Amino acid sequence: MTPLEPTSGMERLTACITEAQDRFAALLRSYLEHHGTTVDQYVRYLSFQYHLTRDVQRYFMAIAAHPDLARRRRLREFLYRFANEEELHYLVAANDLDRLGLNPLPMPFDVELWHAYFRSVVQERPFVRLGAATVLENISDGNAKSWVKRALQGPYLSRENTKFLVLHQHEALPHGDQIMDAIAQGDLEERHFDDLIEGARKGTVLYLRMAEWAVRPGGLAALADQDSLVLDAAEAERIRSFQMSELDAV
Amino acid sequence: MICSTGRLADPAGGSPAPLRQALHECAEYPHVRVVRDFAVLRRIGHLRHEQYVQGQGKPYRSDILERDCLVEIADFSAVNIYAADASGLTAAMRIGLLEDRHQPQGTSLREAAAAAGIDPALTLVCSRLVRPATQRGRHVADLVRFVRLRTVTGGYRYCVMQTAERLVPFFRRFEFQETGCWSDDGPGGRLQVMILDTRMQPVLGRTIHHDAA
């Protein structure tokens, strides 16, 4: 392919995801070449995932509600199902932390930025948020896959505290492929792909900053860390009593 | 005596409650808390480092990245408790299961427990007792009493610990007995293994009347 050859929207989006995977692999390699992962890094990973994925259904319902999907009902249907499947995943992360004896850490600043930005655009430009989702669902694959596998090894890991990881293994729940297939079959226009790519790039920036916050607890983003999270009693009980079978509730 | 904070587990049979279920905060010791926040665990980790590594030269190795902060993998399978007052944290201690594979010096503790003929499934380990240098340790006794109250109620009978010779008389006050088993703890010197048999009595020196339930 020459630089002047037009590329399809899907090819452009796939290139963004590949770049995100490569950058994620480089981040993990820069740490893992010298050390194994530590339990505090895992606590930070689960904590940011708790805050990142909490209320995720609101985003997908908002995307599905956009009028551009009025004649793209298969994509709308996919987004609705996706929202249902993802909605309780934040409790899986929090329950894994509970099994380590801990509440989630307070929301990292980069997760605050994520929500502040994507909430501000999701109603009017829903494909920006959907583009970010393509990165979240695929970033651990490709060149990052072997490094992610290596990162997620440690004597502190047990069946009880790795449910979130197991759930998000590509083989267990192939959301990465599913979301790309749904977009590919969505009969989307170029302007939609422009927004998808913008969201994929911005999502990559913010996600990699969260990953760096987890991997390097002494890094710049930790300057904005708060001391502790105040969980209300109802949320604490929801976390403690969570059962994986709730994911299959109809 | 029946504990006001819950049903006594049947000492004659059945499994003890999961440790995190047994060790919950209670009205009898309102200043004793269970660690749930990583920030508190880090604070305790810094105290441990000051006390054990810097103060006593012990070769303990931390499992987290933060400098001068002794937090171990065992902390994530055990329960850490602490006492606090208006000045902040006054004392802290870790309570784990004897059978926890991450328990530091677990092998020697299990050997001592086996020699004493106690049931490992009913045995806890108290370890990493710390207090800030500015505190006199007035809440340490409350931590020990809290653990006894809550864990006997939860169905645990025995508690094992290791301590320096100079602290043996202090723990005898709580009915811990010397076992005669020692372990070498590096520059800090030898530690004696002590065992407490609560006889399923949640409160020191009291008698349980099971039929009162």
Side-chain angles (χ1 to χ4, degrees):
Chain A
M1 181 172 66
T2 68
L4 294 177
E5 191 176 338
T7 52
S8 74
M10 283 309 290
E11 285 172 329
R12 290 162 60 208
L13 184 59
T14 301
C16 285
I17 290 167
T18 302
E19 181 172 5
Q21 291 166 343
D22 292 347
R23 287 180 181 272
F24 190 35
L27 170 67
L28 294 178
R29 184 175 59 237
S30 70
Y31 180 83
L32 291 169
E33 273 182 340
H34 309 291
H35 317 269
T37 44
T38 58
V39 62
D40 49 330
Q41 291 173 320
Y42 186 54
V43 167
R44 293 168 81 83
Y45 167 77
L46 288 174
S47 293
F48 91 65
Q49 289 288 4
Y50 166 78
H51 294 291
L52 182 64
T53 56
R54 191 169 184 216
D55 283 343
V56 70
Q57 79 284 356
R58 292 177 190 267
Y59 287 113
F60 290 102
M61 296 292 192
I63 300 168
H66 193 272
D68 277 8
L69 275 75
R71 290 182 180 79
R72 297 180 173 91
R73 289 186 186 166
R74 188 154 38 165
L75 180 55
R76 176 175 277 171
E77 180 75 20
F78 167 79
L79 291 165
Y80 171 75
R81 275 190 286 110
F82 195 79
N84 278 334
E85 286 183 20
E86 292 275 328
E87 183 172 4
L88 295 181
H89 285 194
Y90 80 102
L91 283 176
V92 182
N95 188 265
D96 285 351
L97 281 166
D98 183 69
R99 298 309 166 98
L100 290 163
L102 294 173
N103 293 333
L105 297 169
M107 187 185 294
F109 183 48
D110 286 314
V111 182
E112 281 189 59
L113 290 179
W114 173 283
H115 290 306
Y117 174 68
F118 285 113
R119 279 179 192 144
S120 77
V121 299
V122 71
Q123 301 289 341
E124 299 304 318
R125 300 178 65 203
F127 288 92
V128 174
R129 178 59 181 84
L130 188 57
T134 65
V135 167
L136 291 190
E137 298 298 332
N138 286 288
I139 196 164
S140 298
D141 214 338
N143 284 340
K145 190 169 185 175
S146 61
W147 290 104
V148 170
K149 200 170 176 182
R150 189 160 157 185
L152 300 174
Q153 292 172 3
Y156 48 87
L157 298 174
S158 68
R159 199 171 65 169
E160 288 74 32
N161 65 30
T162 51
K163 299 182 295 294
F164 186 87
L165 291 177
V166 170
L167 187 63
H168 288 86
Q169 279 173 355
H170 203 68
E171 295 77 8
L173 194 65
H175 272 178
D177 290 343
Q178 290 172 0
I179 200 167
M180 295 301 281
D181 289 347
I183 289 168
Q185 293 163 20
D187 191 25
L188 299 179
E189 300 166 26
E190 206 57 25
R191 62 187 173 92
H192 295 134
F193 278 103
D194 288 344
D195 279 356
L196 283 166
I197 285 154
E198 182 178 330
R201 288 183 175 147
K202 289 177 174 172
T204 300
V205 171
L206 289 173
Y207 185 85
L208 290 180
R209 284 164 55 151
M210 293 171 213
E212 181 146 27
W213 175 86
V215 169
R216 298 199 170 89
L220 177 64
L223 270 182
D225 282 357
Q226 299 165 68
D227 212 27
S228 59
L229 175 72
V230 179
L231 274 184
D232 67 52
E235 177 74 345
E237 182 52 30
R238 260 198 303 276
I239 290 170
R240 201 161 298 135
S241 62
F242 175 77
Q243 301 284 324
M244 289 299 276
S245 57
E246 292 176 46
L247 297 180
D248 302 321
V250 290
Chain B
M1 184 194 131
I2 290 297
C3 171
S4 62
T5 53
R7 180 186 65 83
L8 280 172
D10 176 9
S15 302
L19 191 52
R20 288 190 183 127
Q21 198 175 308
L23 274 170
H24 59 77
E25 292 156 13
C26 62
E28 285 86 341
Y29 297 97
H31 54 298
V32 176
R33 319 257 172 84
V34 174
V35 174
R36 294 284 310 174
D37 285 327
F38 194 66
V40 178
L41 187 57
R42 284 170 58 206
R43 168 84 179 112
I44 293 170
H46 283 293
L47 285 177
R48 289 176 184 168
H49 194 273
E50 280 172 31
Q51 184 171 316
Y52 293 122
V53 181
Q54 294 172 31
Q56 299 172 11
K58 292 185 178 176
Y60 299 162
R61 193 181 66 83
S62 183
D63 291 310
I64 69 168
L65 293 174
E66 185 151 335
R67 281 174 177 270
D68 301 336
C69 184
L70 178 61
V71 173
E72 298 157 297
I73 289 174
D75 288 304
F76 299 90
S77 46
V79 176
N80 278 280
I81 60 170
Y82 67 104
D85 63 12
S87 68
L89 189 150
T90 57
M93 185 165 67
R94 179 171 70 203
I95 300 96
L97 300 174
L98 180 66
E99 294 179 318
D100 182 359
R101 66 191 170 99
H102 297 306
Q103 181 68 52
Q105 277 123 16
T107 304
S108 60
L109 293 175
R110 283 187 285 274
E111 284 171 3
I118 65 177
D119 184 347
L122 302 180
T123 305
L124 301 171
V125 178
C126 289
S127 60
R128 302 294 184 254
L129 178 63
V130 287
R131 62 176 174 84
T134 52
Q135 295 284 338
R136 289 181 300 120
R138 65 194 168 91
H139 284 156
V140 168
D142 285 349
L143 292 184
V144 176
R145 292 189 190 105
F146 169 84
V147 171
R148 179 170 182 155
L149 173 67
R150 296 303 327 148
T151 58
V152 169
T153 304
Y156 296 92
R157 175 166 176 168
Y158 307 100
C159 186
V160 180
M161 66 179 309
Q162 291 185 112
T163 189
E165 187 67 24
R166 64 188 170 79
L167 290 175
V168 166
F170 175 79
F171 287 106
R172 267 196 216 122
R173 285 165 42 193
F174 300 98
E175 298 181 350
F176 279 90
Q177 302 288 319
E178 297 104 303
T179 60
C181 297
W182 296 83
S183 67
D184 183 12
D185 202 36
R190 293 195 315 169
L191 297 177
Q192 166 131 212
V193 178
M194 300 185 80
I195 293 179
L196 165 66
D197 179 359
T198 66
R199 300 175 304 286
M200 301 313 288
Q201 295 175 5
V203 179
L204 183 68
R206 303 282 179 87
T207 305
I208 309 170
H209 301 292
H210 289 286
D211 55 354

